[in-house]
């Protein structure tokens, strides 16, 4: 069964189950429903479910050792936002992270942000913007990250992890400052784009005056899979790329290549244990040029056949590639772990199309998202090689870039995003 | 059953059926498949299916008296493009319309654009960009339109329909020239965004050198329904708007308000019989301001309750509204046919989120699409009233605008988009 079919089945299963409306207890004209939903107690998604698979209502568990949205099977749609911090009051910033965590906990469970103001207090500003009412949780995950510039604030300079380096300038980079960097990021993934957009919008709303959106990116279709054995979705070049991605069930590979270990970076960086590092790159594809290229050239550039996604000379996407059969500049050959001393990163990229570029061309491409244990031994050496030699460079340009430390997961209902970094206790 | 559930069911049904891959006859390593798909004969979707419901493979019939994508039940996702014509050679333009028609016929049936070059001629440029391979038709519809500026070319000035007027400047308009106008438009709607993006991209590719994309818009979520009795999806204000939309099955209302009649505009405009007129408006929503507004104010602005979407004082979305119970500036009251001498338009709008605006705010809103028999008695008088009085104006701004004549449908496999306007025969 293809992954596409898997996902659609998930989505259907979700819609057949209690909707957001039902979860928050609305019904009929519902003027007194505050009483039903209020009280502060937050019923969590059933604890017996794996973080990765989503429960019967289509909710992915928010709590865990690691944040959801990394090893979680890749959802269909993305809304990603980078924020700049505007407050210089550390206590206010910590309170924002606590408020965000509470909102994320509710939204990923398919609930509204607020817990009852709608029902009883019609004059109060809504606690939730409302456009996701009636929609299922849609496997929403929310994943927070801290950019290098955050560590210039709040006396955090000494806490900046050694692995959170500034990315070097790579050959061919043409970065737009307006799509680069950010003190914070939130990755919202869901099978319904309205649910992902709703989540980012409500976090921005809660953060009003304390943080501001620096840039954001909508991803309309996933290009990666973290589901074992499934087919890789096609990117806007029409190819399956990233076939050998880490599956969410491969705990050994996740521990080796994605999750920060307890001893990584020494005692100073212990707060990152169970976390990861995210590199985000907005990669514009020159699709008009690509579309006038012959099939042979396209297949040579990737080192795969276009139809099946099989490596050169092989029959199926997941067949073991024979790298020497490919041109030395083939993308698959250059990016393969065997050509890079074993470098492996977890990719969760999405295709984007953001209107036109003013020159009659679609502004389309890949919003590349890669998680890794350490960018210094992950994305950076890989991209040094690719940016220097990859035949694909003729058809792409990196136009936005950011790197974030992804803290460990929120353990339970009392925990909050960033506690291991910012808590004054112990 | 809610419309959302309906749609998901459609989507699932589609994925369980032959995919694009199967339809074009690929299998295995497939080096000789040109023979299977080639030959020029285009197998059409089963003729017994209604244009509106989609066949068992999830394909909507391309041929008909009217173009699909208007009365068709609204698909989940949109990619819309406006083009400027670059050629001044009428024969070349006509050939482009024929080529586009052939491509649209194949893509809406879930096929690749080309008919075999892939299989046998590996050195030839691909006939299709490939990113939709393996995906189902996803109820793709492609709908073409002709803007006023087209009639300045190719000696068409005398053929411009009387109803295709330039839109006046409305109070509050703040139109961006880069998102306004266009000689041609194509509306691509599908349940899978990759299928809609693929279609526009391939039409742009086929048109290279003859047309150029002027602007384009991705719509991530539908805000309208043309399915009888279904609930209206929420817009980014969190409200259900457009509840009383024309259903695709209401042939009487379609004939009265949407389709151009045989005598409309006299003999000169007879080529538009069976067509329609499309008004497209990019409406930016000031969601940050809206989100700080009280629930009472929000409900007063719309004249509906937010939860159910019921008109003021009523219980359910589809209950008959009592307009005098609403504030005089309420959106529902002002837009209701009873307040406008019966004006009724068919709406197919989509929500958009296009990153940020440089001021820390999301660039989000409604891409409004309305079909009508005559803009002079449809959108224009309605928008004159709304732009002057609607309480919603405090929270929205129209930033892009276009109007197009939508020619009648393509009758059969020998017909082509625009024939009634451009054919030299009879």
């Amino acid at each position: 069964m293809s992954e596409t079919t898997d996902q659609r089945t998930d989505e259907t299963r979700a819609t057949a189950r209690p909707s957001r409306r039902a979860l928050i207890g609305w019904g009929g004209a519902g003027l007194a429903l505050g009483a039903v939903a209020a009280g502060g107690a937050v019923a969590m998604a059933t604890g017996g479910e794996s973080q990765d698979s989503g429960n019967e209502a289509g909710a992915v568990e928010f709590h865990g050792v690691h944040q959801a949205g990394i090893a979680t099977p890749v959802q269909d749609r993305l809304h990603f936002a980078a924020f700049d911090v505007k407050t210089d009051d550390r206590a206010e910033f910590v309170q924002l992270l606590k408020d965000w965590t509470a909102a994320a906990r509710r939204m990923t469970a398919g609930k509204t942000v607020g817990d009852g103001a709608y029902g009883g207090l019609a004059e109060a500003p809504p606690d939730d913007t409302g456009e996701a009412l009636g929609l299922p949780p849609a496997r929403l995950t929310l994943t927070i990250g801290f950019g290098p510039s955050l560590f210039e604030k709040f006396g955090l300079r000494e806490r900046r992890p050694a692995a959170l380096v500034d990315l070097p300038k790579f050959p061919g980079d043409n970065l737009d400052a307006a799509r680069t960097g950010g003190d914070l990021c939130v990755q919202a993934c869901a099978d319904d784009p309205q649910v992902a957009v709703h989540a980012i919008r409500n976090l921005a709303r809660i953060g009003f005056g304390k943080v501001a959106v620096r840039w954001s990116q909508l991803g309309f279709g996933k290009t990666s899979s973290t589901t074992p054995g499934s087919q890789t979705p096609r990117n806007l070049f029409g190819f399956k790329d990233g076939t050998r991605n880490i599956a969410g069930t491969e705990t050994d590979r996740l521990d080796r290549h994605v999750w920060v270990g307890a001893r990584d970076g020494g005692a100073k960086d212990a707060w990152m244990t169970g976390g990861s590092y995210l590199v985000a790159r907005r990669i514009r594809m020159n699709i008009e040029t690509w579309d006038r290229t012959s099939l042979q050239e396209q297949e040579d550039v990737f080192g795969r056949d276009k139809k099946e996604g099989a490596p050169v000379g092989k029959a199926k996407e997941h067949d073991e590639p024979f790298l020497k059969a490919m041109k030395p500049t083939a993308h698959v050959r250059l990016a393969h772990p065997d050509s890079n001393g074993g470098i492996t990163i977890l990719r969760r990229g999405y295709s984007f199309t953001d209107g036109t570029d003013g020159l009659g061309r679609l502004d389309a491409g890949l919003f590349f998202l890669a998680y890794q244990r350490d960018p210094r031994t992950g994305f950076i050496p890989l991209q040094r090689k690719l940016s220097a030699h990859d035949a694909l460079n003729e058809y792409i340009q990196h136009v936005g870039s950011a790197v974030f430390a992804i803290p460990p997961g929120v353990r339970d209902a009392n925990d909050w995003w960033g506690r291991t970094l910012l808590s004054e206790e112990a």
Side-chain angles (χ1 to χ4, degrees), chain A:
Chain A
M1 195 186 287
S2 78
E3 186 178 49
T4 303
T5 310
D6 282 339
Q7 299 258 349
R8 297 284 157 71
T9 308
D10 283 354
E11 207 172 331
T12 306
R13 190 178 62 178
T15 41
R17 297 284 168 174
S19 72
R20 209 163 284 254
R21 179 193 305 264
L23 282 168
I24 59 171
W26 283 0
L31 285 173
L33 289 165
V36 176
V42 177
M44 295 310 309
T46 50
E49 293 287 337
S50 146
Q51 173 177 293
D52 293 335
S53 59
N55 68 11
E56 298 231 329
V60 175
E61 174 63 55
F62 177 70
H63 299 116
V65 173
H66 313 294
Q67 290 193 69
I70 303 170
T72 308
V74 183
Q75 298 95 326
D76 288 347
R77 324 286 172 214
L78 168 82
H79 195 199
F80 188 98
F83 295 88
D84 283 334
V85 175
K86 297 299 182 187
T87 180
D88 53 10
D89 180 336
R90 180 175 170 133
E92 188 174 54
F93 178 60
V94 166
Q95 187 58 50
L96 170 65
L97 290 173
K98 291 178 177 176
D99 291 347
W100 270 11
T101 307
R105 187 180 279 129
R106 289 187 64 91
M107 290 192 288
T108 53
K111 302 176 186 185
T112 52
V113 174
D115 58 2
Y118 258 132
L121 301 167
E123 293 298 325
D127 279 345
D128 184 284
T129 55
E131 74 272 22
L133 289 171
L135 299 179
R139 298 203 302 128
L140 174 67
T141 55
L142 293 166
T143 312
I144 198 170
F146 301 142
S149 52
L150 181 70
F151 294 87
E152 300 299 311
K153 304 176 196 283
F154 308 126
L156 291 174
R157 191 167 296 178
E158 301 302 315
R159 309 294 308 272
R160 178 171 169 176
L164 186 66
V165 293
D166 296 307
L167 296 182
K169 181 171 181 355
F170 298 101
D173 275 5
N174 185 19
L175 304 183
D176 176 357
R179 295 187 186 273
T180 295
D183 296 336
L184 300 170
C185 76
V186 180
Q187 170 196 283
C189 296
D191 289 331
D192 184 327
Q194 183 115 337
V195 170
V197 167
H198 168 265
I200 293 293
R201 182 240 194 112
N202 276 277
L203 295 181
R205 180 183 60 78
I206 292 166
F208 182 76
K210 290 158 250 175
V211 296
V213 178
R214 181 179 173 89
W215 52 270
S216 79
Q217 181 67 55
L218 197 74
F220 70 77
K222 61 177 177 175
T223 61
S224 306
S225 167
T226 56
T227 304
S230 63
Q231 290 190 35
T232 305
R234 291 180 191 273
N235 62 26
L236 290 184
F237 284 146
F239 277 77
K240 303 175 182 178
D241 188 34
T243 284
R244 304 179 64 76
N245 209 5
I246 302 173
T249 49
E250 296 180 284
T251 47
D252 281 0
R253 288 180 86 202
L254 288 167
D255 284 341
R256 196 164 346 126
H257 300 296
V258 178
W259 305 131
V260 175
R263 285 193 292 267
D264 292 8
K268 182 181 74 66
D269 296 349
W271 69 271
M272 276 293 291
T273 304
S276 189
Y277 293 91
L278 169 64
V279 172
R281 305 280 286 187
R282 188 175 192 271
I283 304 176
R284 172 81 188 273
M285 291 175 165
N286 302 323
I287 60 174
E288 290 80 4
T289 309
W290 180 256
D291 289 347
R292 293 197 295 281
T293 304
S294 74
L295 178 60
Q296 186 65 56
E297 162 76 1
Q298 292 188 359
E299 295 188 337
D300 285 348
V301 163
F302 272 97
R304 280 185 202 286
D305 109 286
K306 194 168 186 177
K307 288 190 280 276
E308 287 296 321
V312 169
K314 303 287 179 156
K316 294 290 179 188
E317 181 191 346
H318 290 282
D319 288 350
E320 191 64 34
F322 179 57
L323 300 181
K324 288 185 179 165
M326 302 173 188
K327 299 209 169 185
T329 58
H331 181 71
V332 166
R333 180 169 178 172
L334 288 168
H336 195 279
D338 289 355
S339 307
N340 294 284
I343 293 177
T344 303
I345 56 181
L346 185 153
R347 282 145 296 171
R348 285 181 66 92
Y350 287 81
S351 292
F352 68 84
T353 301
D354 293 341
T356 40
D357 67 357
L359 299 169
R361 300 178 302 207
L362 294 173
D363 180 5
L366 170 68
F367 188 64
F368 172 92
L369 294 168
Y371 288 89
Q372 60 229 279
R373 188 170 174 178
D374 188 333
R376 295 170 299 178
T377 54
F379 177 79
I380 293 173
L382 195 58
Q383 181 59 15
R384 275 199 204 285
K385 173 176 271 185
L386 291 175
S387 62
H389 301 296
D390 191 349
L392 205 46
N393 293 331
E394 194 175 334
Y395 304 100
I396 62 175
Q397 192 166 59
H398 288 236
V399 296
S401 177
V403 59
F404 300 98
I406 306 296
V410 172
R411 293 174 310 183
D412 55 39
N414 296 313
D415 198 8
W416 44 281
W417 270 340
R419 177 189 51 80
T420 59
L421 173 63
L422 287 150
S423 173
E424 306 284 349
E425 306 155 20

